[in-house]
Structure formats: C-alpha cells, structure tokens
C-alpha cells in the first residue's frame, strides 16, 4: 500500500471532515531516523528498528524494562499493561480496567462458563467435606456417647458450615447461569475509565468540564464514527510510550464490541496503516495490541482478504518464531490466526506459510504455546484437511496423540476420525495408522513406570476410538492386530497397566459394575445372597417402563453397537485373555476384578449376541477342558476359577432380579420422592407372632425404656420391632398400655420436645426420619395404632407449628419451627415426610383433617419467597387418594411461581406413568392416573414454555401404555401453540386408530408427511447421530437445580420417534403410506445413490431414506413393505461395501431395526444374518453378519494426489537460474539444507560467512520466505533464518517502501511470489 495517505482521507465515508479539522499538530514535528532500526531480533545483535508510523520513529529500546506484568507467559492473559516506564504514576493510565473485560481471547460467554466451572468445583469440594464429616459422625455415633460428645459437636458444626457453603455456592451458580442467559451491556462507569485522562475527548469538552466530573460518555448520543476518528488520530502521534498505544488499542476494541457493525464500514487505507505501524513497533505489547485490534476488526472472508494485503502473513510469522520471552506477542499472533477459523470459509485464507509456522510451534516440545498450536491444527484439520497435510501437520498431531501429554487428546481423535470417514479424505493420510499411536504405551513395558497419567490419557483416547465407527474400522486392519496387542497387554508386568486395560474394557462395553463390586474386590464372600437381594441399587425410574407397549419397539443403538464391539473383542481373544489373567495374576484384587469382568462379559454376551455365538462362549471351552483333566497341574486353578465365575454369575442374576423387584415395589408402594432414602419394605427379621416374654425382652434391649437419651437407643432394633411385632394388635396394645416404649418414641418426635426437631440435618441422622416414617406407617395399619396416633400430641403440635406460618391463624413466633434456616440445618424437614405418610392413608387423612392441617396448607402455598417450603410440602404429599390435597396441587400448578409450577408438574409423572397390572387397570375417571393426565393437559397451556415442555415429556411417557394413550386422545389436547415441543406427542397419537382419526380431522397427517418427505428425514439423521455420539461419549450435563432430573432426562442412544414408524402402527397409516408412494421413493433413492461418495447432500439424503426404511420395517405392519421391495439385500451391500464408514454404520443400525419385527428377522435370516432374541424368542434388535470380518473390509487406500505433495515453488527455481550472483544462489541452497537434520550445522556455519549485504535484498527475502513456506523447518531454524535479514527490511516490505533499484532487480530476476 502507499506509504503516505492524504490527511483528509477518512476512515469511514462520514469522517472526512473530522480528520481535516482535528488533525494533530504533533504530526508536523517528526524525529529523524537514526538508521539503526530493524525489525527482527537478531541472533548476533540487539538492534532496534520497528517503527510506529510510516517514518522511522523509534520506541523505547529493547533493553528497557518492558516485561508485561500479571500472569506468567503462556497463560493467555488479557492484560497488556506495560510496567517499568519513566512516566509519573499519576499521569500513567491504568490499563487493567481496559483490558480485563475483553479477555483478549475468551468472550463473555466463555468467561461465564469459567465462573460456572469454578463454582461447580467449589461445590464438589464442599460436598466431599460434607460426606467425610457425615461418615465421621456416623462412626462417632456408633461409639460411646459420652466419650465422643465433644467430637460430635465439632463435626456437626463443620457439617453445618459445609451445608451453608453449599447452599450459598449453589445460589451463586444459579445467579451466574441466569446472568449468562442475559445479553451483557457494558456500563457507563466502566467505559469512562477507558477515556479518563486521555486526549480522546471531543473538542467541545473543556478542562472545566473535566474538573466538574462530566467525563462519562453517553452511549445513546455517542457517535461511533467520530470516536473511531479520534482514536485513530491519537494513534498518529509518534514518540509516545508503549502504554499510550496499548490504551488506545484497547479503546478501539471496546468500540468494536459496542458497535459490531462498525467494522463493516472501515476504510482500510487509514485503519490498515495504523495497524501496520503498531505491528511494526519495537514494543512487544504494542505489537500484541495491534494483533488484537486487527482480530476484532475481522468481519467476513472479504475483510480477511483485505487484512492479508497488509502483509499480515509475514508479520505473524515474524512474531510466532520469536523466543519465549515474547510470549504476549506470540499469544496474540496465534489468536489472530485462530480468528480465521471463526469466519465462514476463513480457513481458506490461511496461507501455507502461516500454517507451517504453527506446525513448527507444535513440534517444539518446550514451547509454551504448543498446546494451543495443536488445538489450532486440529481445528484446521477438521475444516480443511488438505491444508494441514500440505503443511506437514499430521506428524505432530499423531505424536501428540501417542505421547499422552496433550490434555485435548480426545479432540485429536475426533479430528482423525472425521477425515477417515470418507475416501476423499482418507487418502490424505500417509498410512492410515495415525490412530494406532495411542496404543503404543500399552505395548511398551518401559514406558509405563512414572507415566501413569499419560497412560490414562491414552486410555481415554482408545475408548474414543472404539466408540466410533471410523475408529473401529481403522483398528480392523490386519485382522484386528491392534486390538489383539491391546488384549495381550493384560499380561503387562506393571499391575497399573493391566488394571487400566480392564477399566478400559468396562468403559468400552458400557458395563456398570454392581454396587457390591467394592466388597467383592476387597475379598468379601458373595455367598450371602440375602444381602444381594436387599441391595438398594440406584436405578432409573425410566427402567420401569422398559416393557411398555411402545418402548419395546424402539431400538437401542448403543446396545446394538456394544454387541458388535463385544463380538469383535471376543473374536480377538478377550475371554481367553481374561481367563489366563485370572489364572496367572498374583494380585488378589486384580484377579477378582478380572473374574467380575469375565462374568459381566458372559452376561452381556448372553443378552446381546445371537444364540449360536453366545452358546459357544458360555461354556468357556478352554477353561472347561483344563478343569476336566484331573491329572493336569492347572486342574485346581481352573476348577476354582469356574466356581468363582459361577458364583459371580449367580450374584449378578440375583442383583438383576432385585433391581426389577425394587422398580416394581417403588411404583406400587408410591414411596415419597423426597424421603432421604427409600423405606425398606422387606420382611423384618423379627416375627409378628412373638410371645410376650420375648417381646418385653426386646423392648428392654432397645434401651428406650432404660434411658431418655435417644443417642443410647438401638435404632436398628427399634426398626425391627416396628416392622415386626408392633404390627400385631396385641403386642401394640401391650407397648401402649403396659410400657412407655411408644410414649417415649412418639415423644422424641414431638416438635416442642426439641429433640428430633433440633437434631442436625446430617446423613447419619436421616435414620431418625426413616424410623419416624416407618412408625407412622405401622400405626396406621391397625385400628389401635391409628387411634393412638390421633390422640397423641405429635400431629397436634405439628399443626401448631404450621399455624405459625399461616397469617390467618393468629399464632406467631419469633423463631418458627419451619423457618428456612431450620429446614436446611435441622431435621424439621422430616416432618413433611411423616405428613406424607399420613396423606397416603384414609385414616391418616382423617387425622390431619381433625387438626385442620389441610386448611393451613392452603394458606401456606400463597406465601411469597418460601419456594423451599412449598417444594417440601408438595414433594412429600401423596396424591393417590382423592382428597383436598389434589386441589392443593392443582392450585400450585396454576397460581404459584414458575419454579414451583415446573416442580409440581414434574411430580405428576409418578401418577401419570404408574405401572399397570391386571388388577389395577384404571376405570374410574377419579383414579390417580386419569387425574394426573388431566392436570398435565392443563399444563400444556401454561404461559411458560418450560412448564409446557415438562408436561409434554410426561404425557409422551404416559403414551407408552395404550390405555393412557387412548385417554389422552379422548381429551383432545390442542398442541399447535407448542410447535416443535408438542410434535413428539402428536406422533404418539398416530399409534391408535382413534388418534389417527383425530389427527386426520386436524389435517395434521398429510402436512407432517410432506414435511418429513421434503426435509425432516435429513434433520432426523443429524438428530440420531448426535444422540448416538452423546450416548457413546458418556457426556453428562450438570443437572439443572430444583428440577427433577428424571423429567430432564433424554434417551440418548435410543432411536428417536419417527413419523413413518408411528404411521405404520395402524392399518389406516399403512394404507396412506402405500397411496402416497413415499416408500417407493425411499427405495429408489437408496438403490440409485448409495455408492455416491462425493456429494454430502446425496449422502445425507440416502441416510435419511435408510432411517425411514428401517423405522417402517421395525413394525409388524410395515415389514411387508420391506419384503415386497427386496431392499434388505441392498442394505446389506451398503453395510459391507460402502466407502463412507458412517453410511455403513447407518445401514448396520437399520438392519437391526428391521430385525425387530418377526417378518424382518426372517428376511435377515435368509441372508445369513443372525438376530439376538430373549428367552421368549422375541428379537432384541441386535443382528450380526455370518462372517464378522465382512463388515470391516475397505478397498485399498488410494494414492494421494500430486497437488498435495509439497514442492519448491517455480519462482525459487527461476530465481536460482536467472540470478547472476552465485552467492545468492548458494545461499538458497544452504537455506534448503537447513531442513535436513544432518546438514543443519554445516549449512548454518556457511550462511554466517556470507556477506551481510545479501540479506538486505527484498527479492532474496521473498525467495527465502517461499522456501520456508514449501519446506518443513524446526522453530529454531526458522528463527535463525529470519534473524539473518536486516531489521529495517520488514518495514520497507510492509509499507511498500521498495527502492527503484530493488524493483528493477526484482523484476529482472524473479517474479513476485503470490501471497497464498
């Protein structure tokens, strides 16, 4: 560009007058050039030479103290403040306030994410302290009460402190999440700091105005173009300190952030010159500010092209090759490069020279910017793989993947997997074995010791590889040799490596160890099966609907993929490796862990694999053969191993039965969701028919009769008495009239005794709440117990405490029992659980009605600011009985705050999705299920969309049962106002003839069918692939506070609802599908275009058609469509021959869907594919080919095109031929030799002997830059080459100050190299 610009030239079309009138007088006085300046930091001298303007104005020399203050280099700090200047502190501007808001790389959203992460880390820390305190407190309670009294008080105080901190942190986290959702607007006060004490004021502002404090800028009346002109005019000043220019640059960035459209109207003739002069500065901080300003001025790809015309490529290379002490400048240069990736097609504007420089940074192991350089190359690899291949960036990425030190190794894996999916991108890789680098540490015994953390990183990488289709295909080469070597590492001499491989197999096969795993690994015996049956394993409530009418037709893609991985591992020798490990391992814990894994694998194989494969696996032929040989030395070892495997299998079977039993009992017993722990409903150890003497002895043994101190009572025995003898009316009458047992026990729970109500809310103390609930439930089961409960003071005093919150009762208290503090710190919240027990029984409702508790509830739900109390109240009540409590919930659903409405809507799930049996099919409209469904339909019209969304999710789950689905359709809900949120529920209506007729009357079916045919099928592909990736990667979101996680739960990995699948559930839908001809179009698309590997839109279209065919074929009424079209053979060809790996995966899953119908399973059997079935012969939707290897055959890899093989440019060769100076030609040869490790030292020595004048030539500089662009050089070599040139040369190149002689010489000897 021209070195000089007219003073009247405006930055934007509206700024011409501003520049003409407000031209600074300081431009008239310009220091002379002393001729000593330069651009590059030489290896030999420390000369200065970078200028801040078109003239050679100098900044503070390099020797002065310009070290940036703040975080250490490499921390990506946003603070550009410069320290160590001679200016007076009072006049030097403070830069911290100007820069921190921008963060120089992370926007406000990322800053909010960082804060949220910090809050979550603090919460996790406090939770760990809380758990430790609870465990210690539980241990102290089991000891002598007198000896541990002081210790218990200290632990309780610490526990209370942790609870308060957790509550405060969660509150702050919620506020931060809400703040992040709101758009951030800079405040006036903050922005005024940017301009305070600076000469950026409008000419109309006088010193008197400043003294009066009128120095804040009104953003409503601010003129962005005028402010921009002022800042750029201020940057024209020469000879100022670096912090002056840094502050103006920060102000410019703030201006761009306030007015994002301003950068689209920039006149780069002026703006570019100011940026160039900053980038040519001798101060690292000024150069960093220049890169930062330029980065924020990027608008689109056209602006990137304009920026590159200002020689930013050379300037970026110059900054990146500098030494580590210039970290702040190198950081901003690299961030500037990364800004190209945020613009659409901006990666195409990255020159090969810049990418090669980033590659050299990533290859330098000691460089602080290596990780961010690797991340940059990873993103470029995803957006434009050929650019990374041309720059030689594959090797450092593969090295980073193998060494295990890069924290983002999983992102590297995903990048490699992305380019291995299609054949066009696979040919860019040299050998296709780059992913195998992650397996190297497991096969090298020497690399294990001291590198445990690196091996963990590699294990995560291997898991990511095995959980993807491209990764599994890449490992299938050479007969799964890589996987076989991984299994052989189970015999690694280091126990840590073997244990890590076992954990890896657990993860890959998605095996969740049972709750008794830790006990088993510790050496405890599993022969006590009664304990296993009574295990309280955490099971999802959604498991209870696994046998629903509709969910049984949905395919589980994760389990299908896991079945394939299991078959591959079994083929590679997994069972033999585990058996040998158990026999040979000397570590007992490791041997038990392998035994447990072997049992889990056998269980998974029996469930997921076809019977012909699973049957052969179950007998463990090698182990059985060894055990059957009596004379063999390994006879005893093999026999013992088989016994242990059998014991583990029986225990797993028992725990599975226990899990199903718990699910059924949870739905039948209607346990309260807010109880601290589910009440044990198993049979008591004590018999109900107990004689009087034994009963009295047990009462005395419980210590209740001997002491009033509840800490001395034996609460386990008390629970057994409540669940056993006290259920006998005779024993209960004896305990009431003949002893003080019940009187003292009930007295302990009376609020005004301040014993239970003052107990700390700790985990060990929750047993008191459980015992209280058991006591009330047991008393309600007998007439005598209900009468005693009605006459005692417990409920009456609870009513009085509730009246303290009722404004109409006339009762007040300075410290109410149910205050927010007491509810969080003491066990008073347990009273609501006890009231919930009463609400679930007709006698209990009479008792609470006697003391007007319901009336107080009505007034309590109108309290403002007590959402915690309302959640406790609603969450613990039982609404199964038709009572006033239902009216109470209905009022909360409509008249409370949004938070309570969402919470109350979620409570209806338990009733709307209640488990059905032949004895409890609802027929009465007042039944709990129908009542809950009616309320949920009402919630569909809530003004808050979040409430409606929760209601839709629950209704959709209720539709899994046909009787509930028909009732919902009869209610005829209107869902048009919900849009996409209500679409899944409308799809469920298609499952019945009644729903079909209802939707047909609304003209919904034909419109929806056209939408799916014209585009929704393609969107479905993205949805199902994202769901599968989410499920396989085990990503877990932080649960939203105060919202039931079960409602927010999504079935990741399950086949999402599909219109055509729901349509084929009825004969009317099948008739419409046949008449529409859509199925024929799907078949034609698949048959005609499945082999197209180049067009992404065609590939997406074929995938969408495949999913539509699979969903239709999964239904019994839809299977005839598959049979008539003979499409199964074509889908099998796709699964075995397609060059798009994810296309093969889609075909594999579609075959699994087809196998879910009996007719489809028969069609697959005709082609040799076997489907896994349950004990009743029903298909599970998991099918495998007759020859497993046929799925993983890929055609030989194509050779890379010549355009991707780097060559020295023709311009350099022409320069060598035409240049008459043999010294210059020899220098170019020596520069090339620097890339050879063997010749580097000799070439560097020869170059130093050459005439320094040669390196003052611009044509020579461009020729050498072309060599650096086309060849791979280490970072120190690049620094050495650039430091050879005169430091004034870069200023002449950037500002186009090329002399006539150099221009003529350049035109005669070499053509200008085009900027890439």
């Amino acid at each position: 560009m021209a070195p000089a610009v007219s003073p009247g030239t405006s930055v934007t079309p509206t700024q011409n007058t501003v520049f003409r009138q407000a031209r600074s007088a300081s431009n008239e006085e310009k220091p002379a050039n002393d001729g000593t300046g330069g651009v590059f930091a030489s290896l030999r001298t420390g000369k200065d030479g970078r200028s801040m303007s078109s003239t050679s104005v100098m900044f503070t020399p390099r020797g002065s103290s310009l070290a940036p203050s703040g975080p250490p280099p490499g921390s990506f700090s946003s603070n550009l403040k410069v320290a160590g200047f001679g200016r007076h502190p009072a006049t030097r501007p403070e830069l911290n306030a100007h820069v921190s808001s921008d963060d120089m790389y992370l926007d406000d959203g990322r800053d909010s994410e960082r804060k949220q992460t910090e809050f979550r880390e603090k919460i996790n820390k406090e939770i760990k302290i809380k758990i430790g305190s609870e465990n210690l407190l539980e241990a102290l309670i089991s000891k002598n009460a007198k000896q541990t009294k002081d210790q218990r008080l200290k632990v309780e105080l610490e526990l209370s402190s942790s609870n308060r901190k957790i509550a405060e942190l969660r509150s702050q986290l919620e506020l931060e999440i809400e703040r992040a959702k709101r758009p951030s607007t800079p405040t006036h006060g903050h922005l005024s700091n940017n301009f305070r004490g600076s000469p950026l004021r409008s000419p109309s502002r006088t010193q008197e105005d400043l003294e009066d404090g009128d120095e804040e800028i009104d953003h409503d009346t601010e003129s962005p173009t005028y402010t921009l002109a002022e800042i750029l005019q201020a940057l024209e000043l020469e000879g100022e300190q670096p912090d002056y220019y840094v502050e103006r640059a920060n102000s410019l960035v703030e201006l761009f952030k306030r007015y994002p459209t301003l950068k689209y109207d920039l006149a780069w003739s002026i703006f570019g010159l100011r940026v160039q002069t900053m980038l040519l500065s001798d101060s690292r901080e000024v150069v960093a500010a220049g890169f930062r300003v330029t980065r924020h001025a990027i608008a689109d790809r056209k602006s990137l092209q304009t920026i590159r015309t200002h020689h930013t490529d050379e300037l970026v290379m110059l900054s990146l090759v500098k030494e580590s002490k210039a970290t702040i400048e190198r950081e901003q240069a690299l961030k500037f490069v990364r800004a190209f990736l945020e613009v659409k097609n901006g990666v195409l504007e990255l020159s090969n020279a810049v990418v090669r420089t980033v590659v050299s940074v990533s290859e330098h192991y000691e460089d602080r910017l290596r990780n961010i350089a690797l991340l940059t190359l990873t993103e470029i690899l995803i957006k434009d793989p050929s650019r990374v291949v041309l720059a030689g960036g594959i090797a450092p990425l593969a090295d980073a993947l193998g060494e295990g030190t890069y924290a983002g190794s999983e992102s590297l894996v995903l990048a490699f997997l992305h380019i291995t999916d299609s054949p066009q991108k696979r040919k860019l890789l040299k050998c296709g074995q780059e992913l195998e680098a992650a397996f190297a540490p497991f096969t090298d015994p020497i690399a294990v010791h001291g590198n445990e953390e690196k091996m963990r990183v590699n294990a995560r990488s291997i898991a990511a590889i095995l959980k993807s289709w491209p990764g599994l295909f890449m490992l299938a080469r050479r007969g799964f040799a890589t996987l076989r070597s991984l299994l052989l590492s189970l015999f690694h001499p280091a126990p840590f490596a073997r244990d890590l491989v076992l954990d890896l197999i657990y993860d890959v096969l998605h095996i969740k160890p049972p709750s008794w795993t830790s006990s088993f690994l510790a050496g405890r015996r599993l022969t006590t099966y009664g304990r296993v049956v009574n295990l309280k394993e955490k099971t999802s409530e959604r498991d209870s609907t696994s046998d629903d009418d509709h969910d049984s037709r949905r395919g589980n893609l994760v389990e299908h993929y896991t079945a394939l991985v299991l078959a591959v591992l079994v083929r590679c020798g997994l069972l033999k490796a585990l058996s040998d490990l158990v026999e040979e391992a000397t570590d007992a814990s490791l041997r038990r862990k392998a035994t447990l894994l072997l049992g889990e694998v056998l269980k998974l194989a029996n469930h997921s694999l076809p019977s012909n494969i699973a049957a052969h696996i179950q007998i463990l032929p090698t182990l059985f053969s060894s055990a059957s040989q009596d004379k063999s030395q390994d006879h005893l070892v093999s026999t013992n191993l088989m016994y242990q495997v059998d014991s583990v299998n029986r225990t797993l079977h028992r725990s599975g039965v226990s899990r199903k039993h718990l699910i059924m009992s949870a739905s039948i017993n209607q346990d309260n969701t807010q109880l601290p722990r589910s009440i044990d409903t198993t049979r008591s150890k004590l018999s109900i028919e107990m004689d009087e003497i034994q009963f009295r002895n047990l009462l005395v043994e419980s210590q209740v009769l001997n002491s009033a101190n509840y800490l001395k009572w034996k609460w386990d025995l008390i629970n057994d008495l409540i669940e056993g003898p006290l259920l006998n009316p005779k024993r209960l009458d004896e305990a009431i009239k003949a002893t003080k047992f019940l009187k003292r026990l009930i007295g302990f729970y009376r609020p005004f005794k301040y014993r239970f109500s003052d107990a700390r809310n700790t985990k060990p103390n929750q047993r008191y709440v459980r015992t209280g609930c058991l006591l009330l439930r047991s008393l309600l089961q007998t007439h005598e117990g209900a009468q005693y409960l009605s006459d005692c003071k417990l409920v009456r005093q609870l009513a009085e405490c509730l009246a303290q919150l009722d404004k109409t009762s006339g009762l007040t208290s300075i410290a109410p029992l149910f205050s927010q503090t007491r509810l969080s710190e003491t066990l008073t919240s347990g009273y609501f659980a006890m009231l919930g027990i009463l609400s679930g029984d007709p006698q209990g409702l009479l008792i609470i009605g006697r003391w007007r508790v319901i009336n107080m509830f009505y007034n309590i739900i109108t309290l403002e600011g007590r959402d915690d109390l309302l959640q406790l109240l609603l969450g613990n009540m039982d609404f199964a009985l038709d009572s006033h409590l239902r009216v109470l919930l209905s009022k909360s659903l409509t008249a409370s705050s949004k938070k309570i409405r969402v919470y109350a809507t979620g409570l209806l799930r338990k009733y709307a999705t209640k488990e059905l049996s032949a004895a409890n099919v609802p027929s009465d409209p007042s039944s709990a299920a129908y009542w809950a469904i009616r309320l949920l339909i009402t919630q569909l019209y809530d003004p808050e969309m979040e409430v409606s969304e929760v209601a839709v999710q629950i209704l959709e789950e209720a539709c899994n049962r046909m009787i509930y689905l028909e009732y919902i359709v009869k209610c005829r809900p209107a869902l048009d106002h919900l849009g996409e949120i209500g679409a899944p529920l409308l799809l469920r209506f298609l499952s019945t003839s009644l729903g079909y007729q209802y939707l047909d009357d609304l003209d919904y079916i034909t419109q929806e069918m056209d939408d799916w045919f014209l585009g929704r099928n393609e969107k479905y592909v993205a949805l199902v692939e994202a769901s599968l990736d989410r499920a396989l990667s085990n990503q877990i979101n932080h649960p939203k506070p105060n919202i039931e996680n079960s409602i927010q739960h999504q079935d990741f990995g399950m086949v999402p609802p599909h219109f055509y699948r729901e349509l084929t559930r009825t004969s009317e839908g099948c008739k419409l599908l046949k008449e529409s001809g859509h199925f024929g179009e799907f078949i034609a698309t698949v048959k005609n275009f499945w082999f197209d590997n180049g067009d992404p839109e065609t590939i997406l279209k074929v995938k969408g058609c495949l999913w539509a065919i699979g969903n239709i074929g999964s239904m019994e009424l839809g299977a005839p469509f598959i049979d008539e079209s003979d499409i199964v053979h074509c889908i099998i060809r796709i699964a075995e021959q397609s060059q798009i790996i994810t296309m093969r995966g889609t075909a594999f899953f579609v075959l699994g869907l087809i196998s879910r119908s009996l007719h489809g399973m028969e069609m697959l059997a005709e082609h040799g594919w076997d489907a896994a079935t349950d004990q009743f012969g029903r298909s599970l939707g998991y099918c495998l080919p007759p020859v497993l290897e046929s799925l993983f055959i890929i055609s030989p890899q194509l050779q890379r095109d010549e355009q991707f093989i780097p060559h020295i440019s023709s311009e350099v060769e022409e320069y060598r031929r035409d240049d008459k100076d043999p010294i210059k030609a020899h220098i170019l040869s020596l520069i090339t030799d620097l890339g050879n490790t063997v010749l580097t030292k000799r070439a560097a020595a020869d170059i130093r002997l050459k005439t320094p004048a040669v390196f003052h030539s611009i044509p020579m500089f461009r020729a050498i830059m072309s060599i650096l662009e086309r060849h791979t050089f280490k970072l120190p070599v690049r620094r050495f080459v650039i430091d050879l040139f005169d430091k004034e040369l870069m200023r002449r190149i950037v500002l186009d100050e090329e002399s006539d002689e150099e221009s003529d010489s350049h035109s005669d000897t070499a053509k200008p190299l085009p900027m890439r």
Side-chain angles (χ1 to χ4, degrees), residues 10 220 244 319 337 359 443 452 503 711 735 798 805 861 1033 1057 1063 1188 1206 1224 1246 1271 1306:
S10 64
D220 296 333
Y244 171 86
S319 297
V337 175
V359 170
T443 57
E452 287 80 4
D503 291 336
L711 296 176
L798 282 178
L805 303 173
I861 63 173
S1033 60
L1063 189 66
L1188 190 62
K1224 295 182 180 180
D1246 292 345
H1271 286 269
H1306 182 211

Side-chain angles (χ1 to χ4, degrees), residues 89-137:
T91 61
R92 191 172 73 181
E94 181 63 41
L95 304 182
N96 282 333
H98 311 329
V99 187
S100 59
S101 62
D102 177 63
D103 200 21
M104 292 185 60
Y105 175 64
L106 300 176
D107 54 11
D108 292 338
R110 295 187 179 182
D111 183 63
S112 178
E113 292 179 0
R114 178 183 58 80
K115 292 181 180 179
Q116 294 178 29
T117 303
E118 292 178 356
F119 283 134
R120 291 190 176 99
E121 290 177 353
K122 293 179 180 178
I123 291 174
N124 292 335
K125 180 180 178 181
E126 291 298 330
I127 289 177
K128 292 179 180 179
I129 296 175
K130 176 184 175 182
I131 293 174
S133 301
E134 289 176 344
N135 294 336
L136 179 59
L137 187 59

Side-chain angles (χ1 to χ4, degrees), residues 137 140-141 143-156 709 711:
L137 187 59
L140 293 175
I141 289 176
K143 297 181 180 180
N144 189 293
K146 292 183 178 180
Q147 297 177 357
T148 60
K149 181 178 180 181
D150 295 338
Q151 295 181 359
R152 281 191 297 103
L153 291 176
K154 292 180 181 179
V155 175
E156 287 178 353
N709 186 358
L711 296 176

Side-chain angles (χ1 to χ4, degrees), residues 1172-1188:
T1173 58
D1174 59 10
Q1175 61 269 29
F1176 302 106
R1178 296 175 300 188
S1179 174
L1180 298 174
Y1182 317 139
C1183 60
L1184 293 176
V1187 181
L1188 190 62

Side-chain angles (χ1 to χ4, degrees), residues 704-759:
V704 177
L705 302 179
N706 299 333
S707 174
N709 186 358
Y710 67 92
L711 296 176
K712 296 181 179 181
W713 295 353
K714 296 183 178 181
W715 288 94
D716 293 336
L717 181 57
I718 293 174
N719 288 341
D720 293 337
L721 287 170
I722 292 173
E723 293 181 292
L726 289 182
L727 294 177
N728 189 332
K730 187 175 182 180
R731 301 280 84 85
L732 177 62
D733 185 67
E734 182 180 350
I736 294 174
K737 297 179 179 179
T739 68
K740 295 184 179 181
F741 180 80
L742 272 183
K743 181 179 180 181
R744 284 190 174 179
L745 198 56
I746 290 292
F748 166 72
Y749 289 101
R750 283 166 53 185
F752 296 145
K753 288 283 189 177
Y754 294 106
R755 302 169 73 187
F756 173 82
S757 57
D758 273 1

Side-chain angles (χ1 to χ4, degrees), residues 1166-1312:
E1166 294 176 359
H1167 293 83
W1169 283 59
D1170 297 323
T1173 58
D1174 59 10
Q1175 61 269 29
F1176 302 106
R1178 296 175 300 188
S1179 174
L1180 298 174
Y1182 317 139
C1183 60
L1184 293 176
V1187 181
L1188 190 62
E1189 288 75 7
S1190 62
L1191 277 178
F1192 302 101
I1193 298 176
I1194 302 180
S1195 60
Q1197 185 171 318
L1198 301 176
Q1199 297 294 328
R1200 286 189 292 174
D1201 296 337
E1202 290 297 323
Q1203 59 177 328
F1204 298 124
I1205 301 177
H1207 294 285
I1208 299 177
S1209 64
S1210 58
E1211 289 86 351
V1212 178
E1213 295 293 339
E1214 184 178 351
Y1215 187 89
R1216 290 179 177 178
R1217 290 193 305 266
D1218 298 342
D1219 200 332
K1220 299 179 182 179
D1221 190 350
I1223 297 179
K1224 295 182 180 180
H1226 184 54
I1227 288 177
L1228 294 179
S1229 298
L1230 293 175
I1231 295 296
T1232 306
D1233 292 342
L1234 289 175
N1236 189 327
T1237 307
V1238 178
L1239 304 177
T1240 300
K1241 291 185 178 180
R1242 183 181 60 82
D1246 292 345
I1247 290 175
R1248 288 192 181 97
L1249 298 177
K1250 302 302 176 182
T1251 306
V1254 176
F1255 299 105
H1256 290 266
S1257 170
I1258 293 180
M1260 172 63 75
F1261 175 80
R1262 290 179 174 173
I1264 291 179
M1265 288 298 103
S1266 181
I1267 294 177
L1268 294 180
E1269 179 181 2
R1270 300 311 197 274
H1271 286 269
T1272 300
F1273 294 93
K1274 298 296 183 182
L1275 186 63
V1277 174
R1278 289 180 176 271
R1279 185 184 307 123
F1280 169 76
V1281 172
I1282 292 180
D1283 285 342
L1284 292 172
F1285 288 90
D1286 181 73
K1287 300 183 181 301
E1288 187 69 17
L1289 187 64
M1290 179 56 71
R1291 187 188 62 81
R1292 292 160 50 198
I1293 293 175
V1294 172
L1295 299 179
D1296 291 340
E1297 295 180 346
E1298 190 174 349
S1299 63
D1300 295 338
E1301 294 182 2
E1302 289 176 336
S1303 300
D1304 296 340
S1305 174
H1306 182 211
S1307 61
D1308 293 340
T1309 57
K1311 299 179 181 179

Side-chain angles (χ1 to χ4, degrees), residues 398-451:
D399 293 341
L401 182 62
E403 65 189 19
T405 57
Y406 179 53
S409 59
E410 292 174 272
S411 63
L412 286 178
V413 170
L414 295 178
F416 279 116
L417 295 177
H418 173 72
I419 65 175
T420 55
D421 183 31
S422 63
Q424 289 81 7
K425 295 178 180 179
R426 278 200 300 272
K427 65 184 179 182
L428 298 177
L429 301 178
K430 291 183 179 180
C431 59
Q433 300 178 3
E434 287 78 7
L435 291 174
E436 297 180 5
F439 293 80
F442 290 92
T443 57
D444 184 7
I446 302 178
V448 177
H449 299 287
N451 296 321

Side-chain angles (χ1 to χ4, degrees), residues 1-13 15-16 19 23 53-54 228 232 236 263 265-277 303 306-307 309-310 1294-1296:
M1 62 182 294
V5 181
S6 174
T9 304
S10 64
V11 178
T12 62
Q15 296 171 353
N16 192 18
F19 270 89
R23 184 78 171 172
S53 69
S54 58
L228 177 63
L232 293 179
E236 252 186 307
K263 55 190 175 184
D265 196 29
L266 289 175
W268 281 90
S269 57
I270 289 293
F271 184 83
L273 179 61
R274 300 295 176 267
V275 169
Q276 281 181 322
T277 54
S303 65
T306 303
I307 289 173
T309 61
H310 291 74
V1294 172
L1295 299 179
D1296 291 340

